[in-house]
Amino acid sequence: MAQHIALTNQTADGADKPDAAVVRDALGVGVAVGLSGFAFGVTSAGSGLGLLQTCALSLLVFTGASQFALVGALAAGGNPFTAAAGALFLGVRNAFYGLRLSQLLALPRAVRPFAAQWVIDETTAVTLAQPTRRAARLGFTVTGLSLYALWNLTTLLGALGARAIGDTRAWGLDAAGPAVFLALLAPMLKTATERAVAGLAVLLGLGLLPVLPAGVPVLVAALAAPLALFAEGRRGDRTPQEDLDGSEENR
């Protein structure tokens, strides 16, 4: 009985979640996403970055969207400062994740600087899905550790593989990074507003790609979010009578 209690987390409403279930879910996310580090290693090496530079990005930056944005802009011939600005802009969201997780995890001050390195989309999603603080800490730790280790290992393997095969564009591997990014993004678009933001961002980014320097379209595409939210707010401000009148006019 004592062992059973030790292996489970008791929530306020009486629901239990075994530690094994938390670890299983966290490892599932860590392994699934961590393997995509291979695509980043290939993409980074194909963009002209060296092995040490590629590995340093995964070790120090450790946020896939920003890493792919940076090497993608560099591969397109963009200015390094513009590329870094786009990557930084995408990484700002992790600061907001940190504000939420700091309250939920309540980690000791000495641990927080190290834990901050693991505050990304995946660890946040796993942590917020847990019923108790103990389960949240376990989910955050297992997800962060497995994902960080595997992402950096596969980054190294991808960079070494890219150097071995030569020109990655000849093999079509230059498309691996964008493909993985879209595969990670698609499941997150659950509402009509989110899909509208993504669609508008694609239109802005692709439409401005021929006329703006590399890396700048990514920054401009960020305008999709406030534009979509503004449009949604305007629809929300319409009264039922206005909606009815509009429907009658369209008949």
Side-chain angles (χ1 to χ4, degrees), residues 25-37 122 146-147 150-151 180 184:
D25 295 343
L27 283 177
V29 173
V31 172
V33 179
L35 291 175
S36 61
E122 293 76 18
S146 60
L147 181 51
L150 194 54
W151 178 270
V180 170
L184 294 175

Side-chain angles (χ1 to χ4, degrees), residues 34-64:
L35 291 175
S36 61
F38 184 86
F40 170 72
V42 171
T43 304
S44 180
S47 69
L49 294 184
L51 178 63
L52 292 179
Q53 292 173 315
T54 297
C55 292
L57 277 174
S58 284
L59 284 168
L60 303 177
V61 178
F62 188 53
T63 173

Side-chain angles (χ1 to χ4, degrees), residues 5-22:
I5 295 175
L7 293 176
T8 59
N9 301 306
Q10 185 72 29
T11 62
D13 58 2
D16 295 338
K17 185 167 186 180
D19 286 356
V22 178

Side-chain angles (χ1 to χ4, degrees), residues 106-129:
L107 297 173
R109 290 185 179 273
V111 178
R112 292 179 186 178
F114 302 98
Q117 178 70 353
W118 290 353
V119 177
I120 55 176
D121 297 332
E122 293 76 18
T123 54
T124 301
V126 172
T127 302
L128 295 179

Side-chain angles (χ1 to χ4, degrees), residues 24-243:
R24 181 195 62 224
D25 295 343
L27 283 177
V29 173
V31 172
V33 179
L35 291 175
S36 61
F38 184 86
F40 170 72
V42 171
T43 304
S44 180
S47 69
L49 294 184
L51 178 63
L52 292 179
Q53 292 173 315
T54 297
C55 292
L57 277 174
S58 284
L59 284 168
L60 303 177
V61 178
F62 188 53
T63 173
S66 296
Q67 292 178 233
F68 277 119
L70 176 63
V71 298
L74 292 176
N79 183 287
F81 295 103
T82 304
L88 179 62
F89 186 85
L90 288 174
V92 167
R93 71 192 188 285
N94 294 337
F96 295 99
Y97 294 159
L99 293 175
R100 178 68 181 93
L101 294 186
S102 65
Q103 299 175 349
L104 182 61
L105 297 174
L107 297 173
R109 290 185 179 273
V111 178
R112 292 179 186 178
F114 302 98
Q117 178 70 353
W118 290 353
V119 177
I120 55 176
D121 297 332
E122 293 76 18
T123 54
T124 301
V126 172
T127 302
L128 295 179
Q130 305 311 317
T132 65
R133 175 168 292 167
R134 169 175 157 74
R137 287 179 171 179
L138 180 60
F140 176 84
T141 302
V142 174
T143 305
L145 179 60
S146 60
L147 181 51
Y148 188 76
L150 194 54
W151 178 270
N152 281 280
L153 175 60
T154 54
T155 293
L156 173 62
L157 295 177
L160 290 174
R163 293 179 63 183
I165 65 177
D167 186 6
T168 58
R169 290 173 293 183
W171 297 80
L173 295 179
D174 55 319
V180 170
F181 183 77
L182 290 176
L184 294 175
L185 176 65
M188 301 180 185
L189 307 177
K190 298 179 180 179
T191 67
T193 301
E194 291 170 350
R195 289 190 288 269
V197 170
L200 183 57
V202 169
L203 291 176
L204 288 173
L206 294 180
L208 296 174
L209 193 59
V211 297
L212 293 179
V216 177
V218 175
L219 299 175
V220 178
L223 295 175
L227 289 175
L229 292 175
F230 176 76
E232 183 182 31
R234 290 294 300 271
R235 288 198 301 270
D237 291 339
R238 288 172 62 92
T239 64
Q241 183 60 41
E242 289 176 332
D243 291 335

